[in-house]
Amino acid sequence: MTTIIFITGANKGLGYETARRLTELGHTVALGARDPQRGEAAAGRLGVRFVPIDVTDDASVARAAADIEAHEGRVDTLINNAGITGRRVSAADLTGDDARQVFDTNVLSIVRVTHAFLPLLEKSDAPAVINVSSGMGSFTLTHDPDRVESTIAAPLYPASKAAVTMLTMQYAKALPGIRFNAADPGYTATDLNGHGGTQTVTEGTDAIVALATEPAAAGTGRFIDRSGPVPW
Ligand SMILES: NC(=O)c1ccc[n+]([C@@H]2O[C@H](COP(=O)([O-])OP(=O)(O)OC[C@H]3O[C@@H](n4cnc5c(N)ncnc54)[C@H](OP(=O)(O)O)[C@@H]3O)[C@@H](O)[C@H]2O)c1
């Protein structure tokens, strides 16, 4: 049976590469993006269906779920990929509004989208949710002097990704009928970091693709990168 995969923020970067690779592997991908032009263009390049979704907007998320229900009828794998770093300003200049934007896009969105998509996931024989977190949200890696994650001081994005990983673990415990796992892409050249990342997008999507293609028995409540388990 074909696996039906929905990816948020898939018009570029890691989301787009994930859509490309999973389509190439023969899965049915619905490509989520907030901007109609960018979304249609990306979906057109891959020959997949575009689904408009702004993950910060309840009504938009509900419309996306209804759209998938009408077209694909279910979701086997939901990939919560959309994310932002927020404004690049010194920590002293960060405001409540900055925090609201980063947490709304990176964290609240996961609750919002997961909630709206649960009925579609429940129609799958092997439902899975993959949350794109980050090593920047790992307490261990951000304190390891040998890791690039320890060299960056940016309060909001790492805190939001720590929350993404914890949300994933708690959903995994609370909803054992669905596999919830988190992926750390690793430092990857995309618009998110002005293409300063050291990995290619193909390397950066290895963990996401592995979680999307592994057998259901692989388990729930895990946090992995392309080399294996990531410490929390
Ligand atoms: N690149 C890295 O080194 C790295 C490392 C660890 C984790 N990550 C995570 O990987 C994920 C993808 O990042 P990326 O590097 O591929 O960044 P990117 O190239 O900037 O792509 C981010 C995507 O998220 C979308 N997005 C942002 N806000 C949205 C919203 N409100 N609703 C819907 N879509 C929205 C963007 O859409 P627009 O084009 O419309 O802005 C874009 O498609 C993020 O969760 C990021 O935190 C990245």
Side-chain angles (χ1 to χ4, degrees):
M1 196 165 62
T2 324
T3 306
I4 298 170
I5 300 169
F6 178 57
I7 311 171
T8 66
N11 54 290
K12 67 177 182 179
L14 294 165
Y16 179 81
E17 177 67 359
T18 302
R20 187 193 70 73
R21 291 180 67 179
L22 292 174
T23 302
E24 197 173 274
L25 289 171
H27 302 295
T28 299
V29 170
L31 184 148
R34 62 178 161 177
D35 179 85
Q37 275 82 41
R38 289 195 290 272
E40 286 286 12
R45 283 196 297 278
L46 296 180
V48 302
R49 204 170 74 77
F50 163 55
V51 176
I53 184 168
D54 180 335
V55 299
T56 64
D57 179 341
D58 283 336
S60 169
V61 170
R63 279 194 299 274
D67 181 336
I68 301 244
E69 167 132 55
H71 290 90
E72 287 80 18
R74 68 168 200 279
V75 171
D76 297 303
T77 304
L78 164 65
I79 304 181
N80 286 312
N81 165 78
I84 58 169
T85 57
R87 283 198 305 145
R88 290 173 193 281
V89 294
S90 89
D93 292 328
L94 289 171
T95 63
D97 268 348
D98 289 320
R100 204 186 330 270
Q101 272 180 33
V102 171
F103 276 77
D104 198 8
T105 307
N106 296 359
V107 184
L108 276 63
S109 67
I110 289 188
V111 178
R112 191 178 281 123
V113 176
T114 302
H115 176 70
F117 278 73
L118 274 180
L120 294 167
L121 286 160
E122 282 161 358
K123 291 184 184 173
S124 169
D125 290 337
V129 176
I130 300 167
N131 292 329
V132 181
S133 188
S134 170
M136 287 304 302
S138 159
F139 288 81
T140 306
L141 298 188
T142 51
H143 289 81
D144 180 344
D146 293 333
R147 293 282 307 209
V148 65
E149 288 86 351
S150 70
T151 65
I152 297 163
L156 298 181
Y157 179 79
S160 77
K161 291 300 185 177
V164 170
T165 304
M166 182 57 89
L167 269 179
T168 309
M169 302 309 139
Q170 294 298 327
Y171 270 118
K173 288 207 281 186
L175 301 175
I178 300 174
R179 276 188 302 138
F180 284 87
N181 291 300
D184 167 24
Y187 193 35
T188 306
T190 67
D191 287 351
L192 191 90
N193 47 41
H195 293 263
T198 49
Q199 295 184 146
T200 66
V201 283
T202 306
E203 292 167 328
T205 50
D206 279 349
I208 306 169
V209 170
L211 288 172
T213 54
E214 68 187 11
T220 191
R222 293 169 298 138
F223 181 25
I224 67 155
D225 66 14
R226 67 195 294 264
S227 316
V230 178
W232 299 346

